[in-house]
Amino acid sequence: MRGDLVRKLTARCLTVGLAVLAFLLLALTTATWPGLLLSLAAVAAAVLERRVRPDAEVTAEFVLLLAGILVAYHRQLGGGADPALLATAPVALALLLLDAPLRRARSFELRAVNLELPTRNPFVTSRFSHAVAVLLTGIALCALVPLAAWWALLLTLLIAAAVGLSGLDLVLRRLRPSATPDPVVAALKRHQPEFVLYFSAPAGSEYQATMWLPYLERIGRPFMVLVREADHLAALAAATTAPVVHSPTVRAVDQAIVPSLRVAFYVNHGAKNSHCLRFSRLTHIQLHHGDSDKTPSANPLTAIFDKVFVAGEAAVERYARNGVQIPREKFVVVGRPQVESITVVPAHRRPGRVTTVLYTPTWTGHNADADYCSLPIAEELLRRLLAREITVILRPHPYTLQNPQSARQLARLEELLAADRDRSGRQHAWGATATRTWSLAECVNRSEALISDVSGVVSDYLYSGKPFAVTNMSAPPEDFTQEFPLSRAGYVLHRDLTTLDRVLDDLLVTDPLAELRWSTRSRYLGDFPAESYADVFVSQARRFVTWQAPAPRAGSANGEPGQQPHEIAR
């Protein structure tokens, strides 16, 4: 995420800097060729910025570039009034000013990937955003040669005609929606999806949805993914062959929820979930994106869903323990299918000396009572591990870099690991290797023990049967295991680090909690055979998707999946 921010800032600085420099050279000096070449570079930078930031607003920079290019063009033609150049200026300026409103209007419409759509005017699709870049590039090249100004005017009029057709198409679809059916809706009706994965979250949260896509595909029924933010469209489309639809407005959601849909799956408690929960004919199922003893994992909003898929009985107990009253029949224990690729160690193996530890600090949370982040004590923790000649895999939460202080702390840890690797030769892993190249399951399999904050990673690691330690950053020591029961099966590392050496001895050498860990494992993750572990989720999800409501009796209410699902998964 930090790299993404750097790319965006770099692209912004390049666009603005090159545009201003090109204008100054063209308008205030006679350096025509260098100025025009800089103008072309500025246009290229703007196109690049649009790739990094699809919503980037570059109208001001483009207007500045147009002014400079026209001044240079006038100078190249030898001065004097040129009717064609005079006509080019207002038309080109109008196109530049119309670009942003037309793109915004188009952003309110349904967009889809992985869906067969009819061919339309290319300027109505994503290519339209490059029209003004093509215009500026063409005029700058005409000025470089230089060509007669009527060539620039002809190019401007051709692009204006294409933009006009695009604008007309947008207006017609707005004013006469019934006369011009949306092609995305028509294609969805042909696809006949039976369930939808509905997803709304801040940028960088795609992992919440992508972790479920392989298992939803195993259901073997046609489905779609509906995203509410454009940032997620490309990432989710790359993770599945199912259609991924961007519905930016409530009206667009209404269009995308086609009649063939029966079930809607959710992976978080995003505020925009309500826009889909309105459809009572659907069965609404909450999956969550991890299982932990965190406060957000017992969110009272969970009660609004028809069904709640949970990893084990411990999740059901968690809601009751936090005062959230949800009828037991709403819960369906399905395990945590994402752990199927985690290697399970023999149940009664003799403890051996641990040489590789996975450390997974979580983020600071949206508010203080959800801040379980151990990064403030992490430097001393890592120094102690390195002193014991431990190889460390450092895998932070995806949101870590949203907090500047956390980002600095994480950078310091990476410096420590890099220095120790150079000194000792131990192959520590961090950065892209530990967060993108390796999956969480690979990190688990490559390690022999875990140190983690309160998070879903602990539950996932529990499946392996290997030892783990949990950091306590906020609760009084005597209350911690009551608030976070899973920690009883691990070794608790308190914020003051006074017990660090003892915890590391237990975690890395003696492992006295091995037997308790195995009994806790079935309570948190279900007691399902390893060879068919993920099949439990797939079969339960398929039951809801393929369930058929009984035909309504005369004078009775319609049998709706959203109102009758409790019969099939008790």
Side-chain angles (χ1 to χ4, degrees), residues 12 61 63 75 84 104 113 125 143 150 152 234 253 289 296 301 309 316 354 382 387 409 435 464-465 549 558:
R12 180 89 286 253
E61 290 80 7
V63 169
R75 189 162 55 237
R104 278 196 295 270
V113 185
T125 62
W150 63 266
V253 173
H289 54 272
L301 288 176
F309 280 18
V316 181
V354 168
L382 253 62
Q409 292 164 341
T435 58
S464 72
N558 288 336

Side-chain angles (χ1 to χ4, degrees), residues 264-521:
F265 291 103
Y266 305 78
V267 297
N268 59 29
H269 290 292
K272 293 180 183 177
N273 286 356
S274 61
H275 298 166
C276 188
L277 284 163
R278 297 175 298 126
F279 294 89
S280 61
R281 65 181 179 83
L282 301 180
T283 300
H284 301 277
I285 301 176
Q286 176 62 258
L287 303 177
H288 294 113
H289 54 272
D291 181 87
S292 76
D293 286 330
K294 283 185 175 182
T295 302
S297 293
N299 194 320
L301 288 176
T302 306
I304 68 178
F305 295 92
D306 295 311
K307 288 291 179 180
V308 185
F309 280 18
V310 293
E313 289 296 332
V316 181
E317 298 166 5
R318 183 182 304 127
Y319 283 97
R321 187 171 65 250
N322 285 274
V324 180
Q325 301 302 316
I326 299 177
R328 179 61 182 82
E329 61 268 20
K330 279 197 174 188
F331 291 101
V332 183
V333 175
V334 297
R336 172 91 172 130
Q338 289 81 6
V339 304
E340 66 171 344
S341 53
I342 290 177
T343 302
V344 181
V345 300
H348 300 292
R349 71 167 184 170
R350 295 181 63 183
R353 182 178 179 275
V354 168
T355 60
T356 304
V357 169
L358 171 62
Y359 174 46
T360 58
T362 192
W363 67 305
T364 54
H366 288 298
N367 42 57
D369 64 354
D371 183 0
Y372 307 106
C373 179
S374 65
L375 285 173
I377 64 170
E379 185 172 343
E380 178 60 22
L381 171 59
L382 253 62
R383 288 186 185 280
R384 299 283 190 96
L385 289 172
L386 297 178
R388 291 178 179 237
E389 300 182 347
I390 298 295
T391 300
V392 176
I393 301 173
L394 173 61
R395 184 185 172 95
H397 191 281
Y399 286 178
T400 297
L401 298 178
Q402 291 182 353
N403 183 308
Q405 183 177 0
S406 294
R408 290 191 296 271
Q409 292 164 341
L410 180 62
R412 179 57 184 151
L413 301 185
E414 293 175 346
E415 291 171 2
L416 279 176
L417 294 180
D420 186 78
R421 181 185 60 186
D422 295 341
R423 182 175 58 254
S424 67
R426 283 190 292 273
Q427 295 304 301
H428 306 295
W430 68 88
T433 299
T435 58
R436 291 195 291 274
T437 303
W438 297 348
S439 66
L440 176 60
E442 288 176 285
C443 291
V444 172
N445 292 339
R446 290 172 181 267
S447 66
E448 297 162 295
L450 169 75
I451 298 177
S452 178
D453 304 339
V454 176
S455 75
V457 175
V458 181
S459 296
D460 288 355
Y461 204 89
L462 178 65
Y463 185 76
S464 72
K466 292 182 283 193
F468 64 87
V470 185
T471 64
N472 171 20
M473 297 300 294
S474 57
E478 62 275 12
D479 296 337
F480 185 73
T481 56
Q482 296 297 320
E483 292 184 27
F484 308 103
L486 180 54
S487 65
R488 298 169 190 165
Y491 308 102
V492 179
L493 181 60
H494 299 296
R495 185 183 185 116
D496 60 11
L497 297 180
T498 54
T499 60
L500 177 57
D501 288 329
R502 178 170 56 80
V503 167
L504 292 182
D505 287 341
D506 289 342
L507 176 71
L508 306 179
V509 184
T510 58
D511 191 19
L513 295 177
E515 189 172 339
L516 175 61
R517 194 162 57 244
W518 281 99
S519 61
T520 304
R521 180 177 178 269

Side-chain angles (χ1 to χ4, degrees), residues 60 136 264 326 564:
L136 287 174
I326 299 177
Q564 306 286 340

Side-chain angles (χ1 to χ4, degrees), residues 48-182:
L48 174 64
E49 185 177 6
R50 285 260 175 92
R51 290 176 65 88
V52 177
R53 296 173 54 231
D55 60 342
E57 182 56 74
V58 295
T59 301
E61 290 80 7
F62 277 174
V63 169
L64 198 64
L65 287 172
L66 176 64
I69 291 169
L70 290 177
V71 168
Y73 206 162
H74 179 263
R75 189 162 55 237
Q76 287 281 76
L77 294 176
D82 188 310
L85 195 60
L86 290 173
T88 299
V91 178
L93 179 61
L95 289 175
L96 296 185
L97 296 177
L98 282 172
D99 173 54
L102 286 175
R103 284 191 304 107
R104 278 196 295 270
R106 195 180 145 271
S107 72
F108 287 117
E109 299 194 321
L110 284 166
R111 284 192 290 160
V113 185
N114 300 342
L115 189 64
E116 291 187 11
L117 296 172
T119 302
R120 296 164 59 187
N121 182 336
F123 283 96
V124 180
T125 62
S126 60
R127 296 183 185 275
F128 170 69
S129 64
H130 299 309
V132 291
V134 171
L135 173 66
L136 287 174
T137 301
I139 297 175
L141 290 175
C142 288
L144 268 172
V145 174
L147 295 176
W150 63 266
W151 283 102
L153 177 60
L154 178 61
L155 173 67
T156 303
L157 292 175
L158 286 173
I159 293 178
V163 171
L165 288 174
S166 172
L168 180 63
D169 186 68
L170 286 168
V171 170
L172 288 176
R173 292 205 304 277
R174 290 282 178 180
L175 297 180
R176 298 189 299 162
S178 58
T180 54
D182 191 288

